[in-house]
Amino acid sequence: MTPITLPLSNKRVAHYLERGTGEPLVLIHGVGMQAEAWYPQIDELSSDFRVISVDMPGHGKSTALDANAGLQDFVDWAIEFIEALDAGPVNLAGHSMGSLIAAGVAVTRPDLIRRVAVLNGVYRRTAQARAAVLQRAAELRSGAIDVETPLKRWFNAEEAQRIAAQKVESWLRSVDLEGYATAYTAFANGDEVYADGWHTIACPALVLTGSDDPNSTPDMAWQMAGAARNGHAVVIANERHMVNLTAPREVNCALRAWLQTEPVHETVKPEA
């Protein structure tokens, strides 16, 4: 993978990994992760696509946003990044927080998107679920970081998941705490920001999650896919939140099918 640093406005930079040639596929990871968190997809899909996996603001080597940044600020950042790539419309996939960003770009700037994929995304949380993530965000802002709890929630004890769990643990322990807290707060408050805009998404939209993900539930996936004009839901059995790492074969198969879907050439007015 080739590491690249792309200058953005206000003296900020976006750092990303790139491999392969062909249609551009931009990948945005979740909170606490980094560009490398897409390694099974980079390895597989770069044989046919120009895969661009970017560090989210405040993660890896990408410049952080303002501490009070909300989801819309992260979406604006993604739009600026895609425009700076100067690669034309891209295929855009996001995981967890990255999926909220990807959906926000698809809603507000459909001209930049060929296809959009939402992996383990959230959509209209219950009041109980929202309270839990807001509490987690408050803990992070106070300087407390709990690595063990998400690891237990995301991975089981099977030997096949051990390597992925170790990688995720290393990323969580090395993340910049302020950048992590900013992104998590935006994530905690972001599940309804673009929810009403899903009906405007006309491009092929893949919505994928694991059947055992208690926060990015199958019901959320079905609702998002049903709201989009060309949505398709995939629920992978017996998998949790880090499904792109724990079930790479199934995820890569779903992504390839999505990437082979004919783009919809329709002009959709961006939402204000």
Side-chain angles (χ1 to χ4, degrees):
M1 291 180 283
T2 302
I4 300 173
T5 299
L6 184 65
L8 301 177
S9 63
N10 299 321
K11 297 182 179 180
R12 294 174 297 144
V13 299
H15 176 266
Y16 64 95
L17 304 175
E18 179 173 334
R19 181 191 291 176
T21 60
E23 278 189 22
L25 169 60
V26 174
L27 306 173
I28 306 177
H29 61 78
V31 176
M33 300 293 99
Q34 55 185 255
E36 192 184 346
W38 290 98
Y39 67 88
Q41 289 67 53
I42 297 171
D43 290 345
E44 163 65 19
L45 300 174
S46 60
S47 60
D48 297 294
F49 297 89
R50 178 188 173 192
V51 181
I52 299 162
S53 185
V54 63
D55 286 331
M56 194 164 61
H59 294 65
K61 298 179 181 178
S62 288
T63 309
L65 298 180
D66 181 82
N68 294 317
L71 180 61
Q72 290 170 301
D73 298 297
F74 282 86
V75 169
D76 289 343
W77 163 84
I79 290 169
E80 182 180 1
F81 173 70
I82 293 169
E83 290 180 328
L85 286 172
D86 196 25
V90 303
N91 300 295
L92 182 61
H95 175 260
S96 193
M97 168 69 168
S99 72
L100 285 178
I101 297 171
V105 176
V107 169
T108 59
R109 288 297 303 274
D111 57 301
L112 295 178
I113 306 299
R114 290 174 182 265
R115 307 172 182 88
V116 65
V118 167
L119 278 64
N120 300 90
V122 292
Y123 180 83
R124 302 192 190 282
R125 294 183 179 100
T126 64
Q128 181 179 8
R130 183 173 295 107
V133 291
L134 287 172
Q135 176 62 32
R136 169 73 167 158
E139 292 171 358
L140 287 170
R141 285 197 173 275
S142 71
I145 180 168
D146 174 12
V147 173
E148 297 304 322
T149 299
L151 288 175
K152 291 178 182 178
R153 187 169 64 244
W154 295 341
F155 299 98
N156 60 37
E158 294 177 5
E159 180 66 20
Q161 296 197 14
R162 182 178 59 83
I163 294 177
Q166 288 177 339
K167 287 181 178 290
V168 168
E169 181 178 5
S170 71
W171 296 327
L172 286 173
R173 292 194 184 280
S174 65
V175 71
D176 176 78
L177 183 55
E178 290 185 7
Y180 189 6
T182 296
Y184 199 93
T185 302
F187 171 69
N189 289 291
D191 59 299
E192 291 194 347
V193 175
Y194 297 99
D196 289 340
W198 265 90
H199 73 281
T200 70
I201 298 177
C203 67
L206 169 65
V207 188
L208 182 150
T209 195
S211 65
D212 298 341
D213 189 337
N215 299 311
S216 305
T217 65
D219 187 57
M220 289 179 178
W222 293 323
Q223 288 183 58
M224 285 184 276
R229 301 185 189 186
N230 293 282
H232 175 62
V234 172
V235 177
I236 300 179
N238 305 314
E239 293 295 335
R240 303 182 188 179
H241 193 65
M242 302 303 291
V243 66
N244 70 300
L245 299 180
T246 59
R249 181 178 300 179
E250 293 89 340
V251 170
N252 291 343
C253 181
L255 288 172
R256 279 197 174 275
W258 163 70
L259 287 163
Q260 292 169 1
T261 305
E262 189 67 24
V264 176
H265 300 288
E266 179 177 348
T267 300
V268 181
K269 182 180 179 181
E271 292 202 345

